[in-house]
Amino acid sequence: MVWVPLSPTSSDRRAPLHAPSTTTMSLEWLMDWSWSLDGLRDFIATGIQSFRDCNATALVAVACLLVLFVWYCYHVGREQPRAYATVNALMQSAEANGVQNGFVYCQSPECVRCSHHDGLNQKLYHNLQEYAKRYSWSGMGRIHKGIREQGRYLNSRPSIQKPEVFFLPDLPTTPYFSRDTQKHDVELLERNFQTILCEFETLYKAFSNCSLPQGWKMNSTPSGEWFTFYLVNQGMCVPRNCRRCPRTYRLLGSLRTCIGNNVFGNACISVLSPGTVIAEHYGPTNIRIRCHLGLKTPSNCELVVGGEPQCWAEGRCLLFDDSFLHTAFHEGAPEEGPRVVFMVDLWHPNVAAAERQALDFIFAPGR
């Protein structure tokens, strides 16, 4: 087979006449490039002229700002990164700062919140074994289960209820309890309302603008002031304070369900100044009910537990589970004075007598 080249057609002959030649394309490109250079030169010339026409004061101001910006970049670049301060680092000690049971924790080795560590479960189990040897394993099933699986319980709890130290399983959970839950103690406290109020008023006269009276503690709050006067602090009697409130202290001995022999038991007068907000926090355990007897209850004061708000009333008890996320605030006017409650920790009604005895042994102060 022989390939024979075809002669071009008339249209093929005319096509090259319409195609741009290499010389033509080069000229057009040079013209465009020349136009671009002219535009750039005009732009630079305009900028230089504008710069020359600028006010000298404005130029000095711009130069100063530029120097400050360069200095700031240098300063930030050479600064060593700061580590975020831990909560414990913020609080040097409970005594120095007067912070106890607030939303910021102290470093005190006696504090039940601060002293727990990775070996807490082993320590609790050792205490339980020691108790069982002295007394009996009878009725200890729930406590044994709680200690054995404490890590799982604390980590798997819903965010609305997260006790920070010890969770006893299979207890009914509710943010608030009815007054009949601990009827005897509630009625006893309410009958002695005037007695407790009178002793508080005597204590409160010692307050001044320049110092915190002896025996009072100032708790950490985002705003305002929160003071507490402890008769029993984490299972330990405060003798000096008890001598100043003798009738209130004797009253504690008449309560049937008061927690007085382990680190989860407290009794104190709690004072919130107007404008105070207590940050949301959890209590250390669910084995107790916290009771607030209203002594002075201005308007615009609320306790919120598990998202449910309640108001205090003078001479009336309010019972709640502080292992639920809770907060309190006093948004009343300054002339209304502080919100004051007498706070005491009572046993959860579903903790049996044998369990109470064991828990007092396991969580005894200083153990």
Side-chain angles (χ1 to χ4, degrees), residues 23 28 52 114 153 168 214 217 251 258 291 326 356:
T23 304
E28 290 178 355
R52 288 175 177 173
C114 305
Y153 285 131
L168 186 64
Q214 191 176 45
K217 300 289 185 181
L251 179 63
C258 177
C291 175
H326 63 285
R356 295 179 187 180

Side-chain angles (χ1 to χ4, degrees), residues 94-167:
E95 291 299 323
N97 295 282
V99 177
Q100 285 192 358
N101 294 346
F103 77 101
V104 174
Y105 306 147
C106 64
Q107 288 184 315
S108 171
E110 291 81 22
C111 179
V112 66
R113 295 172 186 261
C114 305
S115 60
H116 67 274
H117 47 79
D118 293 338
L120 177 63
N121 290 355
Q122 290 80 359
K123 180 180 178 181
L124 295 182
Y125 189 71
H126 172 77
N127 291 346
L128 176 61
Q129 286 181 314
E130 187 177 345
Y131 173 83
K133 289 177 183 177
R134 294 187 186 186
Y135 303 99
S136 172
W137 277 103
S138 178
M140 297 299 104
R142 184 160 56 176
I143 296 178
H144 183 265
K145 177 182 177 183
I147 294 175
R148 186 180 66 246
E149 303 183 40
Q150 195 62 206
R152 180 174 68 84
Y153 285 131
L154 295 181
N155 293 329
S156 64
R157 294 299 304 165
S159 60
I160 194 173
Q161 185 193 26
K162 278 187 175 295
E164 296 180 327
V165 179
F166 179 73
F167 178 78

Side-chain angles (χ1 to χ4, degrees), residues 21 23 41 55 132 148 180 195 201-202 220 278 353-354 365:
S21 65
T23 304
R41 182 184 57 197
N55 185 288
R148 186 180 66 246
D180 292 336
T195 297
E201 289 176 339
T202 302
S220 178
I278 299 177

